[in-house]
């Protein structure tokens, strides 16, 4: 897939690809929706971006890892902060976004909407 000189580049972009929930593959296997990254004039790696709904699941899992415990175990204030961050990241424009977030936080959809409304009023 790559030459020896490409390894630092791949190592550098891997955390970003992982954080997005993407997949790295050889450039010659790239489809029309994939993003091919070049390094020093040569195609090095292709990145397959996740579907939006998969991205939300990946973002929630990353937030959970960062918190060190399930999002449902957070206190109310921390859950409100999670909702605020997710709103900024566009989580609620994804189909079933509110339901997905509510499930991850262990609260009702109504509670998520209340958190969103509280943020807009504050």
């Amino acid at each position: 897939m790559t030459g020896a000189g490409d390894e630092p580049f791949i190592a550098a972009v891997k955390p970003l690809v992982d954080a997005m929930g993407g997949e790295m593959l050889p450039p010659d296997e790239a489809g029309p929706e994939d993003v091919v990254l070049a390094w020093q004039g040569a195609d090095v790696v292709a990145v397959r971006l996740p579907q939006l709904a998969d991205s939300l699941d990946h973002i929630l899992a990353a937030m959970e890892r960062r918190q060190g415990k399930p999002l449902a175990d957070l206190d109310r204030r921390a859950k409100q902060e999670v909702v605020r961050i997710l709103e900024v990241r566009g989580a609620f424009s994804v189909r079933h976004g509110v339901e997905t977030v509510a499930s991850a936080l262990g609260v009702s959809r109504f509670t998520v909407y209340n958190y969103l409304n509280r943020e807009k009023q504050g």
Side-chain angles (χ1 to χ4, degrees):
M1 168 162 98
T2 62
D6 301 330
E7 294 305 321
F9 176 78
I10 291 172
V13 299
K14 186 172 181 354
L16 176 61
V17 173
D18 289 347
M20 294 184 318
E23 175 187 352
M24 294 172 51
L25 50 140
D28 60 345
E29 293 180 18
E33 301 299 317
D34 297 330
V35 179
V36 177
L37 302 177
W39 179 246
Q40 298 178 341
D43 292 346
V44 176
V45 66
V47 177
R48 181 157 296 153
L49 299 173
Q51 299 297 312
L52 284 176
D54 295 338
S55 291
L56 180 53
D57 289 337
H58 200 80
I59 290 167
L60 288 166
M63 292 180 93
E64 202 162 81
R65 282 192 304 275
R66 211 170 297 128
Q67 295 290 335
K69 60 183 170 182
L71 297 177
D73 292 348
L74 299 176
D75 64 26
R76 183 175 55 86
R77 178 162 285 176
K79 288 179 182 181
Q80 289 171 333
E81 178 65 11
V82 166
V83 168
R84 187 193 66 74
I85 292 167
L86 291 170
E87 182 179 27
V88 168
R89 294 189 70 180
F92 302 111
S93 63
V94 175
R95 184 178 167 141
H96 303 298
V98 170
E99 292 87 347
T100 301
V101 171
S103 176
L105 292 176
V107 299
S108 69
R109 289 181 10 229
F110 180 76
T111 298
V112 172
Y113 284 119
N114 279 341
Y115 291 169
L116 289 167
N117 289 332
R118 175 174 287 122
E119 187 65 32
K120 285 179 177 59
Q121 293 169 358

